[in-house]
Amino acid sequence: MTRHSRPTLRAPVVVRSEPHGTQGSGVLLTTQTVLTSAHVLRSAHSAWVSLPGRSESVLCQVVWSDQRLDAALLQARESLTGTRNLTELGRVATDRPVPGCEILGFPQVQRYEDGRKLESDQYRGTLLPLAGLIRRTMVVELDAPPATEPTDKNSPLAGLSGGPVFAGAELLGIVREVPRGRGHRRVECVPLSALAADTEFRSAYSQATGLAFPSLAALTHHSSTDAPYEQEYGEAVAAAYRRTRIFGLDELGRRAAEWDLDTAYLSLEATSRDPGATPVPQRIDDLLASRPRVLLRGDAGAGKTTLVWWLAAHAAAGTLGPRLAELNGLVPFVVPLRALRARGAGFPSPAELPGAAGLMVDAAPDGWAGRVLAEGRALLLVDGLDEVPQEDREAVHTWLSGLLARYPRTRCVATVRPLAVEVDWLGGEEFEELTLLPLRDEDIQAFVTAWHDAARLDADDEPLDALERDLLQQFRHNPTLADLARTPLLCAVICALHRLREGFLPETRWALYDSALRLLLGSRDDRRRIDAPDGIRMSVEEHQQLLQRLAAWLVRGGQTEFTREQALHQLNRTLPGMPRVAAQGTPEEILTHLLNRTGLLHERTDSVFQFAHRTFQDFLAAKEFVEDDLVPELLRHAREQQWHDVLLLAAGHCSRRDLPVLVEGLLAAGSGSRDKDLKTTLYVLAALCAQHAAWLSEGLHTRVRKAVVSVLPPRRPGQLKALARLGDFVLPLLPGPAPETGEPDLTLPLICEIGGAAALPYARAYADDEHTFRLSISWSNFPAEAYAREVLARIRLDTISLFVTGRDQLAQIPLLRHAPDFILQGDFAPEELTAALREHDLRGITIADNPRLTDLSLLAPFAATLDALALQRCTELADLTALGRLDRLHTLLLDGVPLGAAELKVIAGLPLLQHLTLRLRPDVTRLDLTPLHSLTAVEVKVEGLAKRQVLGRAPFGDRLTLRP
């Protein structure tokens, strides 16, 4: 793990002044500039620079030199190194000694082959801020004598002049001289702070690099053990979180059962609830890129925890892609709240953060985590806010807000189920809220393919190709089945059951879980002809009896993780009632069997266990409560969000006698609540439970419908989210379009959230100007052709953009000739776009997330009408030549598009351009606006660079807006 969010230069170089025959050292400030000592160069105007590992020297020009400061700046005509990163610069901001500093360079003592060749050397020492205070020099005392003094009385460190002095990654200065005496252990240096105060140096640096001289980081302390520990910690994070288990593949080898998180996370999308943002689905990395603090909401199995693991593993390894490059190298602190509860631990202090996740790593150096937080290098990942009991959530809020107030530069992602905390629960701490979306049809198809690819690794004899084709076909032609697979967990469950049943699948969510448990608890070993593994043989029902008691205990305690001792305690209470099982082994042996053979319990950390997924825990706990005649106990917790899934799953276990009790109890709890969101949620739970009934009295069905009607129309986002779970059931109960009353009516958003063929007539009823935008952005939730003909063809589209995110929608564009503006998001081929749009008088177009777009020739047919263009995250777009033919263009947005002088020159040729927005990739460190100076009336906005990184600003005046 690197110290900063991107690798930094720590590159000493050899500097030779040929006219004077002197040799010294130097350091790269940028890839083409070198800082060295002036006395090494004397009066020379050039010098040869050599890098370790590079056979040829490079001639550099002296662009600034000051004998008084004893420093000089050299510039090369070409890059001296392959990296594009800059050296981190710092200044000493303490009067206390700073141990663990390093001096790098090429001293005489490292010469060999009769002095014809040089080797670099490295010295450790303590910086003494007060030792050179009066002389304004920086003094470093080496930890040990550098070498025996040679007989010619020269210093063994001759040639080290100009060598860099580092504290960790920060360059603090360069070596000036090694005074005689003290055994050559004192080294006097030029501090960077002296150079930063010199106007001529700063000017020379800017002319050579095109950048302003950066501000110096203030160094107040440094630990020599931090860097190696961070490396060790990063490796531990990557080992713990880089892979995830995929349901249904655990009977295969370890290689197939665990997926790299890149594979598991290809399909995740989310939306922002930012009122100022267009609610268009985007990949999660795009949304996280610009949001330092995020509260991520998602249903059970939606992938919240996997996202936390993915971020932790890739940030630690520095392998996040361009959109999240700023996170690379940050130090991930994962705080799994469920694990803290299992261990009985409180919320971690800064010093306790490295141990919160139970990583296999040594204890951190004293104060390390605090230093990481203070320097703004931490990525705090808080998983499972909903897994803390309701009464403790205020304590969580206090802990998290206090930690972030103390360390305000900390980036943070926290996860929670959709309704566990109110909207803007962390708004005061500047968190933005994102919601993970259900898998789209094409995402499900991709997941199915990846799942079967993994299964093929250890299953050569199975007809997996045929099974994959059959399942993909079922998903394409069975919307009900696709609706059951909208989370990665359930999609994997369906894949596993389809494989086991050779093509036959359950039809309800409850039946899916029941079948999955039977697969794990019995039929898997039977299918593999494994008899009495571990010397113990139990039926499916016996497995369930043990596990459901453990699950019920966890639910009662509001936790999801448990220790071996806790599990043994529960088994000791249960086994006396199961003599056949108890006779087969001790409680320890029974627990080992459950861990080894069921696939339902996983060891999360050393001697801490959890169910493979919380949904299975809730399913088994619900079975225990119903079988033990404890429905009244369930209902006593009806107002607690963490019990709601248990209540819903209990309906599938209920008998004809128990189900009315459950439904009536939920109705009673809802009617007694003054909280509108909670009332709605409880009525929805009652309706969902009623749907499980093979028979329920007509009177109770009527009461359920009336309860749901009483909370319509939805007025709050929480109500909308809850009611959408009812799907088609709620549609006939909705009021029709009504005049504005001043109070928000979310009926249409609810219809669009439900979507599907059944919702089409209800959406059509809103086809007027007032609702045009909502109907436009919801196309992907409905059958594409029917929605285009019955809804979109009836509304005005001339004032908004029409959102297109799939090929089924793209095929319908010719039906909508009256639509002049499109947002096209996805990997559409240019020829597909041309064919779909050719009959349109196109005025505006946004092309987003399209890796197949390499040039803009497809826009040529629209040159006479197109006046607004946005190109966002089109990673392969390299040729903007065709942009110059769009003579009517007045608004242009380029996001992540390469921008050199040639591209800016093309933009400068647009005669009617009025608004230009340039969003730069994280790896761009400089932008020269000079080619745009001819645009004297254009408002320019540049996002992603600091002021000092943007050249040619002056002619724009207040027409230029910069946002880092």
Side-chain angles (χ1 to χ4, degrees):
M1 173 179 289
T2 55
R3 177 175 170 82
H4 291 267
S5 60
R6 59 185 184 190
T8 56
L9 289 175
R10 278 170 47 95
V13 299
V14 178
V15 178
R16 291 185 176 91
S17 175
E18 291 297 344
H20 306 290
T22 55
Q23 174 259 310
S25 302
V27 60
L28 292 180
L29 294 184
T30 68
T31 58
Q32 291 181 250
T33 57
V34 173
L35 183 65
T36 187
S37 287
H39 77 258
V40 171
L41 306 175
R42 300 185 185 176
S43 59
H45 298 290
S46 63
W48 292 94
V49 170
S50 304
L51 270 75
R54 181 166 176 165
S55 58
E56 296 181 356
S57 297
V58 176
L59 185 63
C60 298
Q61 299 299 312
V62 179
V63 296
W64 171 86
S65 181
D66 188 316
Q67 296 293 333
R68 178 183 56 84
L69 287 171
D70 198 3
L73 186 66
L74 310 179
Q75 182 181 14
R77 294 190 178 187
E78 61 186 62
S79 177
L80 295 165
T81 179
T83 179
R84 298 179 60 187
N85 300 316
L86 304 178
T87 301
E88 298 287 341
L89 309 181
R91 62 181 176 85
V92 181
T94 179
D95 60 359
R96 297 186 178 186
V98 181
C101 294
E102 296 174 83
I103 296 177
L104 309 178
F106 299 84
Q108 175 178 292
V109 74
Q110 280 288 78
R111 294 175 184 168
Y112 60 101
E113 292 189 9
D114 296 327
R116 289 180 287 110
K117 293 188 177 181
L118 277 174
E119 177 64 272
S120 61
D121 211 343
Q122 183 174 10
Y123 303 92
R124 301 186 69 86
T126 299
L127 192 151
L128 305 172
L130 298 181
L133 189 62
I134 296 175
R135 292 172 294 145
R136 297 184 179 180
T137 190
M138 186 170 69
V139 176
V140 176
E141 177 147 340
L142 304 183
D143 292 345
T148 303
E149 186 165 335
T151 56
D152 60 7
K153 301 300 182 181
N154 290 329
S155 169
L157 299 184
L160 194 62
S161 295
V165 181
F166 285 102
E170 277 82 20
L171 175 67
L172 301 180
I174 58 172
V175 173
R176 183 167 65 188
E177 66 174 320
V178 180
R180 291 187 175 277
R182 299 181 185 260
H184 299 288
R185 291 182 63 174
R186 281 283 177 105
V187 181
E188 294 190 354
C189 312
V190 181
L192 282 187
S193 56
L195 300 181
D198 189 89
T199 303
E200 293 184 4
F201 170 78
R202 293 200 311 271
S203 176
Y205 179 91
S206 296
Q207 290 179 16
T209 65
L211 304 172
F213 190 68
S215 58
L216 305 180
L219 180 76
T220 59
H221 47 254
H222 170 67
S223 171
S224 60
T225 59
D226 282 0
Y229 181 78
E230 282 190 21
Q231 179 73 26
E232 181 184 353
Y233 180 85
E235 292 170 358
V237 170
Y241 295 121
R242 67 175 175 243
R243 300 181 72 81
T244 185
R245 295 190 68 83
I246 298 299
F247 181 84
L249 296 181
D250 52 333
E251 73 262 38
L252 306 178
R254 178 178 178 84
R255 178 181 56 154
E258 293 190 348
W259 283 3
D260 184 274
L261 285 177
D262 286 338
T263 304
Y265 245 72
L266 288 175
S267 300
L268 281 185
E269 288 187 325
T271 55
S272 167
R273 69 169 297 274
D274 181 356
T278 303
V280 178
Q282 291 181 251
R283 295 299 173 188
I284 190 67
D285 54 343
D286 290 330
L287 288 165
L288 290 175
S290 59
R291 294 166 170 82
R293 295 181 183 177
V294 167
L295 178 64
L296 183 71
R297 297 180 186 264
D299 291 317
K304 301 183 297 297
T305 296
T306 309
L307 172 62
V308 165
W309 289 21
W310 179 77
L311 283 172
H314 286 286
T319 52
L320 290 167
R323 298 298 298 176
L324 289 174
E326 291 184 359
L327 304 186
N328 281 331
L330 293 187
V331 179
F333 293 125
V334 181
V335 183
L337 293 177
R338 68 181 73 85
L340 298 181
R341 286 189 53 78
R343 299 198 299 262
F347 305 118
S349 67
E352 294 168 334
L353 284 173
L359 299 173
M360 300 297 289
V361 65
D362 290 337
D366 288 346
W368 170 70
R371 290 190 288 276
V372 169
L373 289 160
E375 293 164 8
R377 299 192 295 112
L379 175 61
L380 184 63
L381 300 166
V382 182
D383 190 27
L385 292 172
D386 53 284
E387 295 175 1
V388 176
Q390 186 72 43
E391 61 270 18
D392 292 339
R393 285 185 195 157
E394 190 57 38
V396 177
H397 189 287
T398 300
W399 164 74
L400 184 56
S401 61
L403 183 64
L404 295 177
R406 173 66 180 84
Y407 302 106
R409 291 190 291 160
T410 301
R411 295 192 69 138
C412 182
V413 176
T415 70
V416 69
R417 289 201 182 182
L419 303 176
V421 297
E422 62 267 22
V423 172
D424 279 337
W425 190 65
L426 288 169
E429 285 67 42
E430 299 181 348
F431 276 73
E432 297 185 57
E433 294 195 5
L434 302 178
T435 299
L436 285 175
L437 296 178
L439 299 183
R440 296 189 294 172
D441 289 345
E442 52 265 43
D443 296 331
I444 292 173
Q445 303 274 323
F447 189 100
V448 169
T449 297
W451 191 97
H452 284 84
D453 284 345
R456 287 186 188 94
L457 294 175
D458 287 338
D460 295 334
D461 298 335
E462 283 190 74
L464 285 168
D465 291 348
L467 284 171
E468 180 185 348
R469 287 193 298 271
D470 177 73
L471 184 54
L472 290 171
Q473 188 76 359
Q474 288 197 52
F475 276 128
R476 276 192 287 268
H477 298 290
N478 185 346
T480 301
L481 179 64
D483 286 343
L484 288 172
R486 297 299 180 189
T487 68
L489 171 69
L490 290 181
C491 195
V493 168
I494 290 172
C495 290
L497 292 174
H498 179 265
R499 175 188 178 190
L500 174 68
R501 296 176 167 212
E502 298 180 343
F504 296 96
L505 287 167
E507 296 182 354
T508 68
R509 179 171 175 248
W510 185 89
L512 270 178
Y513 294 143
D514 186 61
S515 298
L517 286 173
R518 292 184 178 279
L519 163 67
L520 291 170
L521 298 180
S523 59
R524 183 183 63 171
D525 279 346
D526 292 341
R527 185 166 174 255
R528 298 168 70 198
R529 295 182 173 89
I530 296 176
D531 184 46
D534 304 320
I536 296 170
R537 184 167 184 83
M538 287 190 278
S539 66
V540 171
E541 183 60 29
E542 287 169 331
H543 277 116
Q544 285 190 344
Q545 287 297 320
L546 290 172
L547 291 170
Q548 68 193 46
R549 282 167 170 75
L550 178 60
W553 170 75
L554 289 168
V555 168
R556 284 188 176 106
Q559 63 191 72
T560 57
E561 294 191 353
F562 55 92
T563 64
R564 180 177 292 274
E565 291 71 22
Q566 291 169 329
L568 290 173
H569 179 69
Q570 297 304 314
L571 288 176
N572 279 318
R573 297 178 60 187
T574 304
L575 286 173
M578 304 176 69
R580 197 188 80 83
V581 175
Q584 298 185 57
T586 65
E588 289 81 1
E589 291 168 334
I590 300 295
L591 177 59
T592 298
H593 169 83
L594 293 175
L595 292 168
N596 288 342
R597 308 311 315 165
T598 67
L600 273 177
L601 299 179
H602 290 167
E603 186 171 14
R604 180 65 196 92
T605 59
D606 188 28
S607 294
V608 175
F609 308 92
Q610 65 183 26
F611 278 85
H613 195 275
R614 181 172 163 182
T615 299
F616 293 123
Q617 173 185 306
D618 291 346
F619 182 89
L620 287 165
K623 186 173 185 290
E624 173 67 11
F625 283 113
V626 172
E627 289 183 352
D628 210 18
D629 202 21
L630 294 174
V631 172
E633 180 183 349
L634 279 175
L635 290 169
R636 286 197 294 274
H637 295 280
R639 298 190 179 192
E640 301 172 38
Q641 184 275 337
Q642 63 265 35
W643 284 75
H644 287 173
D645 274 4
V646 183
L647 283 156
L648 180 58
L649 292 166
H653 298 291
C654 280
S655 65
R656 177 176 169 179
R657 177 188 59 130
D658 293 324
L659 189 59
V661 176
L662 181 62
V663 173
E664 289 175 347
L666 288 169
L667 291 176
S671 65
S673 175
R674 295 183 178 181
D675 183 322
K676 194 74 169 181
D677 283 354
L678 180 58
K679 181 189 291 289
T680 303
T681 297
L682 293 171
Y683 285 166
V684 166
L685 284 175
L688 291 170
C689 290
Q691 292 175 9
H692 281 286
W695 183 91
L696 201 64
S697 70
E698 181 181 2
L700 191 49
H701 272 302
T702 300
R703 287 176 56 198
V704 168
R705 283 193 296 273
K706 287 183 176 179
V708 173
V709 168
S710 73
V711 292
L712 296 174
R715 305 287 187 186
R716 297 157 53 95
Q719 289 182 284
L720 186 154
K721 185 73 176 177
L723 288 162
R725 299 179 69 185
L726 292 175
D728 297 354
F729 171 86
V730 78
L731 292 171
L733 308 180
L734 293 172
E740 284 287 343
T741 62
E743 190 175 9
D745 182 342
L746 300 180
T747 300
L748 177 58
L750 176 57
I751 293 170
C752 294
E753 180 82 8
I754 294 169
L760 262 173
Y762 300 92
R764 187 172 58 233
Y766 284 83
D768 58 41
D769 294 349
E770 181 183 349
H771 304 100
T772 297
F773 178 73
R774 170 60 65 177
L775 291 171
S776 168
I777 66 173
S778 302
W779 191 2
S780 62
N781 293 349
F782 294 85
E785 182 178 1
Y787 193 77
R789 293 183 181 278
E790 298 182 32
V791 179
L792 296 178
R794 298 168 180 259
I795 66 177
R796 287 189 59 185
L797 294 173
D798 57 343
T799 59
I800 62 164
S801 299
L802 186 60
F803 292 84
V804 177
T805 57
R807 284 178 172 78
D808 54 348
Q809 297 167 285
L810 193 68
Q812 311 310 318
I813 287 181
L815 299 175
L816 305 169
R817 297 265 321 262
H818 61 305
D821 197 311
F822 291 89
I823 295 177
L824 305 163
Q825 184 180 28
D827 62 342
F828 305 117
E831 54 270 23
E832 291 180 286
L833 298 176
T834 300
L837 297 169
R838 61 189 171 194
E839 300 297 328
H840 286 258
D841 294 328
L842 200 62
R843 294 205 308 266
I845 185 170
T846 295
I847 304 177
D849 301 312
N850 191 331
R852 303 178 69 176
L853 189 69
T854 58
D855 61 48
L856 300 178
S857 57
L858 69 91
L859 299 178
F862 312 108
T865 59
L866 192 66
D867 56 28
L869 171 65
L871 301 168
Q872 297 178 295
R873 302 177 298 278
C874 298
T875 54
E876 301 302 315
L877 179 60
D879 184 357
L880 300 186
T881 305
L883 186 64
R885 297 195 288 271
L886 304 180
D887 293 339
R888 291 179 53 86
L889 209 63
H890 67 70
T891 300
L892 177 62
L893 183 152
L894 299 176
D895 180 355
V897 175
L899 290 172
E903 289 77 19
L904 294 177
K905 186 176 180 180
V906 173
I907 295 171
L910 298 173
L912 301 182
L913 192 64
Q914 299 174 21
H915 305 282
L916 174 63
T917 300
L918 305 175
R919 293 178 184 160
L920 303 175
R921 298 193 308 256
D923 60 343
V924 176
T925 59
R926 175 183 175 185
L927 178 67
D928 188 348
L929 297 177
T930 302
L932 300 179
H933 286 176
S934 60
L935 299 174
T936 57
V938 176
E939 294 184 358
V940 180
K941 179 184 293 184
V942 177
E943 300 180 10
L945 289 180
K947 183 177 179 180
R948 61 182 173 79
Q949 297 172 291
V950 181
L951 308 181
R953 303 185 307 270
F956 292 96
D958 58 6
R959 291 185 292 114
L960 176 63
T961 303
L962 300 177
R963 192 176 80 178

